[in-house]
Amino acid sequence: MAGVEFLILALVVVVVQVPVVCCGGLPASLMTLERAFPVNQRVELEWLRARDRARHARILQGVVGGVGDFPVYGTSDPYVVGLYFTKVKLGSPPREFNVQIDTGSDILWVTCNSCNDCPQSSGLGIELNFFDAASSSTASLVSCSDPICASIVRTAAAECSPQSNQCGYTFQYGDGSGTSGYYISDLLYFDTILGASFIANSSTSVIFGCSTYQSGELTKTDRAIDGIFGFGQQSLSVISQLSSQGITPKVFSHCLKGEGNGGGILVLGEILDPSIVYSPLVPSQAHYNLYLQSIAVNGQVLPIDSAVFATSSNRGTIVDSGTTLAYLVEEAYDPFVTAITAAVSQSATSILSKGNQCYLVSTRFIPQMKFSKLIGNSFFSLKNGLTYAIVVNTSGSSFTLVYSITEMFPPVALNFAGGASMVLKPEDYLVHLGFVDGAAMWCVGFQKVQDSGITILGDLVLKDKIFVYDLARQRIGWADYDCSSSVNVSITSGKDEFINAGQLSVSSSSRNTLSKLILTSTIALPFFV
């Protein structure tokens, strides 16, 4: 209680030289203990708290290792944001940057203040920031003679200009966009979870890119952002840099909330859940490649030659949070769509819309009083547990036009090595694209890949699941999860200690929990063009 006085029994160490003989006759010094305050002195509770906080801060400054915690914003919904991003603080004094969470690339980069023709505003409702190395007291350029530059030049992730003596880079992304700039070493700030009760404001020097040129989609203002946070497994990724310094484990996890306004959880550590299944990573790959073995629709394995999923120079299955939709090789796409179409032939009409396989679904009226839980802008659950989609809200009426997609469309299973299956609900492979003659149009979110044999699992599939990227054990794990709930995170490699963390605490445990409120933008964006 405030105002309650406490009797202080604290002790301080006072060194008093007392001649004592010990250890073979050598003189020694004894340390005697005296009270910090007289026994009858009373001190306010708040003074004690302040004293303890100062002590804890000193303790934590000397501790290395823990779980790095980052906020998550955005959503997989292409009509809202179509990407997930987080905030990072860089430089001294620190400045905050919004960067896309991208497991398909390796480097953290932000836009430089010297960037020409880069977006100056964003349709995502965020203020764009620009990094200025000259205004940061801790920033230093990575020169061509730096051993770090020499090592990353060998991996084709850097280039050197003898004229400027700056270690530079040029990246090209799968959508045709690109960026170039130079590397900087500066402080990165983040929250480190060191235990159930301790959160330290940590900082460490990392190497990241300062972008001076951008092209393609990166130049468009509708989804403009400050940069990209690459979570690849190469040596220059932030997760590799921090784990090599012993600051975080060599594992990171995310839980991307798909419904409503999105958001989610991102930790540099391992989320623990008993339902997580793991599948091994294909070794020696630039991306997170998995061994996809088969696809089943409604429990029936499709007639697809597993060789089409084999990893080679231009084939394989990649997990990529920087991709909004999902992409399937042509040899697998056609059997997949055929099976979906056959499963819904009695309840939906198959059509093509702008080259995409879509289905027209008839609608019906259900009294609003039966609705029990609103779970998003597109979906809600009725008392029978089925998932329905909101179509029209009739103003001033007690009726809403709704239809079921769970009943109409079949479940899909992606089967991976190690016996790990990823079960997809209809909303994990379908996208709602409006109406035709009063019927709702749902389109397959998986896109056909014709120019290469790369299957890509993007946010459409990754949302509403825990994903664990265990680089130490070379595996990826996943499980269906409500990403608005809290999660248990391991803070030791042996899993013998964990804390409860996340956006909202739902745990009744005596452990302290972390509470985060995720703010998101709701800017509408076009989808297919």
Side-chain angles (χ1 to χ4, degrees):
M1 292 179 60
V4 176
E5 295 180 337
F6 284 75
L7 185 66
I8 297 301
L9 299 177
L11 302 176
V12 295
V13 176
V14 179
V15 178
V16 180
Q17 299 292 336
V18 180
V20 176
V21 177
C22 97
C23 310
L26 296 176
S29 295
L30 286 181
M31 293 185 294
T32 62
L33 299 179
E34 296 181 2
R35 298 183 185 277
F37 303 94
V39 69
N40 61 347
Q41 181 170 336
R42 298 179 183 275
V43 176
E44 292 288 341
L45 176 60
E46 185 53 39
W47 189 95
L48 292 178
R49 289 174 176 164
R51 183 172 179 271
D52 285 345
R53 283 196 298 267
R55 173 175 170 78
H56 294 165
R58 292 194 300 271
I59 292 173
L60 294 178
Q61 285 175 358
V63 176
V64 178
V67 175
D69 181 37
F70 291 85
V72 175
Y73 307 85
T75 172
S76 63
D77 189 342
Y79 281 103
V80 181
V81 178
L83 58 84
Y84 291 91
F85 60 97
T86 187
K87 294 180 181 292
V88 297
K89 292 181 180 179
L90 299 167
S92 299
R95 295 200 64 185
E96 195 168 66
F97 300 89
N98 295 291
V99 287
Q100 183 177 0
I101 301 167
D102 183 18
T103 61
S105 63
D106 295 293
I107 309 301
L108 166 64
W109 64 262
V110 294
T111 305
C112 268
N113 63 335
S114 58
C115 188
N116 294 320
D117 299 325
C118 289
Q120 301 296 308
S121 62
S122 173
L124 300 181
I126 59 176
E127 181 180 352
L128 297 182
N129 288 313
F130 303 89
F131 186 83
D132 182 8
S135 65
S136 174
S137 61
T138 50
S140 61
L141 298 177
V142 178
S143 67
C144 290
S145 58
D146 193 305
I148 295 177
C149 186
S151 66
I152 55 182
V153 165
R154 287 197 299 270
T155 65
E159 55 194 22
C160 254
S161 169
Q163 292 79 12
S164 62
N165 194 32
Q166 290 182 349
C167 190
Y169 65 84
T170 298
F171 300 132
Q172 197 74 22
Y173 296 98
D175 62 358
S177 61
T179 177
S180 59
Y182 54 91
Y183 286 111
I184 286 180
S185 176
D186 208 342
L187 291 180
L188 167 71
Y189 301 81
F190 53 95
D191 289 337
T192 302
I193 307 168
L194 297 171
S197 303
F198 296 124
I199 304 175
N201 296 319
S202 302
S203 65
T204 189
S205 291
V206 297
I207 294 175
F208 59 92
C210 200
S211 173
T212 58
Y213 170 79
Q214 295 166 20
S215 63
E217 292 292 322
L218 293 174
T219 64
K220 296 183 178 180
T221 59
D222 56 354
R223 298 200 306 167
I225 206 157
D226 294 328
I228 291 179
F229 199 164
F231 277 87
Q233 51 189 326
Q234 303 303 313
S235 60
L236 209 58
S237 70
V238 169
I239 184 66
S240 294
Q241 292 188 60
L242 296 185
S243 63
S244 66
Q245 298 176 42
I247 295 174
T248 62
K250 199 171 184 180
V251 55
F252 70 95
S253 311
H254 61 64
C255 194
L256 307 176
K257 188 170 177 285
E259 60 196 33
N261 289 327
I265 299 168
L266 171 64
V267 294
L268 306 187
E270 180 180 5
I271 294 178
L272 303 177
D273 189 271
S275 59
I276 292 178
V277 295
Y278 285 90
S279 187
L281 283 166
V282 181
S284 305
Q285 298 298 310
H287 302 286
Y288 292 113
N289 284 72
L290 291 173
Y291 297 95
L292 179 59
Q293 296 177 331
S294 65
I295 300 176
V297 174
N298 230 5
Q300 299 296 313
V301 177
L302 301 181
I304 304 171
D305 185 353
S306 60
V308 305
F309 301 126
T311 302
S312 63
S313 59
N314 63 345
R315 283 190 174 274
T317 301
I318 296 172
V319 177
D320 178 22
S321 67
T323 296
T324 302
L325 300 174
Y327 294 80
L328 198 57
V329 292
E330 185 174 9
E331 299 92 331
Y333 179 87
D334 292 334
F336 174 73
V337 169
T338 299
I340 298 293
T341 303
V344 300
S345 60
Q346 301 301 314
S347 56
T349 303
S350 174
I351 66 168
L352 287 178
S353 176
K354 300 180 180 179
N356 299 285
Q357 177 61 55
C358 301
Y359 306 94
L360 298 181
V361 179
S362 298
T363 57
R364 59 192 176 94
F365 283 100
I366 290 181
Q368 281 185 341
M369 62 183 297
K370 292 185 180 180
F371 302 163
S372 62
K373 182 184 178 186
L374 184 66
I375 62 171
N377 294 331
S378 300
F379 304 100
F380 62 88
S381 296
L382 297 185
K383 290 182 179 180
N384 59 8
L386 299 176
T387 301
Y388 285 73
I390 299 176
V391 180
V392 177
N393 286 319
T394 54
S395 177
S397 170
S398 62
F399 292 89
T400 297
L401 195 60
V402 301
Y403 56 89
S404 167
I405 61 169
T406 300
E407 285 185 316
M408 293 181 181
F409 290 89
V412 171
L414 306 180
N415 301 315
F416 296 88
S421 290
M422 188 183 299
V423 179
L424 307 181
K425 300 182 293 294
E427 54 265 38
D428 296 332
Y429 64 83
L430 295 174
V431 178
H432 182 218
L433 289 183
F435 308 90
V436 175
D437 296 330
M441 183 169 67
W442 286 86
C443 298
V444 175
F446 279 77
Q447 306 297 292
K448 181 189 293 189
V449 177
Q450 296 175 314
D451 298 333
S452 70
I454 302 295
T455 292
I456 303 176
L457 306 181
D459 295 335
L460 178 69
V461 172
L462 306 185
K463 62 182 171 60
D464 300 320
K465 298 176 183 66
I466 292 170
F467 265 83
V468 178
Y469 301 76
D470 189 343
L471 307 188
R473 297 180 179 90
Q474 283 294 286
R475 63 180 186 169
I476 289 183
W478 59 83
D480 290 340
Y481 202 77
D482 178 1
C483 296
S484 63
S485 302
S486 57
V487 294
N488 289 327
V489 183
S490 172
I491 60 173
T492 62
S493 59
K495 297 186 181 179
D496 56 352
E497 188 178 0
F498 66 92
I499 54 92
N500 185 265
Q503 300 159 262
L504 300 173
S505 168
V506 296
S507 173
S508 59
S509 166
S510 60
R511 290 183 176 88
N512 291 342
T513 56
L514 304 178
S515 179
K516 298 279 179 81
L517 177 63
I518 301 300
L519 304 177
T520 55
S521 59
T522 55
I523 308 300
L525 298 175
F527 184 49
F528 291 116
V529 294

